Amino acid sequence: MIPFSDEELVAPVKRVIDKVRPSIALDGGDIDFIAVKNGSVYVQLKGACVGCSSSGTTLKYGIERQLRMDIHPEITVVNVPVGMENDIDNL
């Protein structure tokens, strides 16, 4: 169980996303923070990352790995498809 509230996680999560953003941008992509809910971080990959076959690897071994190292080992990352930003409860 993650010992932080969702509200407490927002600022550190945003810092980690800003930390990994340059490496994603090198391949023509970008990442937007959507929300933290129940210890899951909701993000949206953009640019060249949309539809890329490596986007799942980027999520798990890039973004999620960095979040787990910097914040807590139980954090998970969920990519929010375009158009689903206001409906993350159904992902």
Side-chain angles (χ1 to χ4, degrees), residues 4-75:
F4 307 105
S5 71
D6 292 341
E7 294 78 23
E8 292 172 320
L9 287 172
V10 170
V13 165
K14 285 182 176 181
R15 280 194 295 275
V16 171
I17 288 173
D18 287 341
K19 182 177 180 179
V20 298
R21 181 174 275 122
S23 59
I24 294 171
L26 288 174
D27 291 324
D30 197 9
I31 182 171
D32 283 343
F33 170 79
I34 303 294
V36 176
K37 191 165 189 173
N38 300 322
S40 291
V41 176
Y42 292 86
V43 298
Q44 188 172 70
L45 294 175
K46 297 192 163 210
C49 292
V50 175
C52 176
S53 60
S54 296
S55 63
T57 302
T58 298
L59 279 174
K60 293 295 175 190
Y61 298 106
I63 302 159
E64 187 173 272
R65 181 174 176 266
Q66 194 66 51
L67 287 165
R68 289 180 171 193
M69 287 187 327
D70 290 0
I71 301 171
H72 195 274
E74 293 180 26
I75 289 179

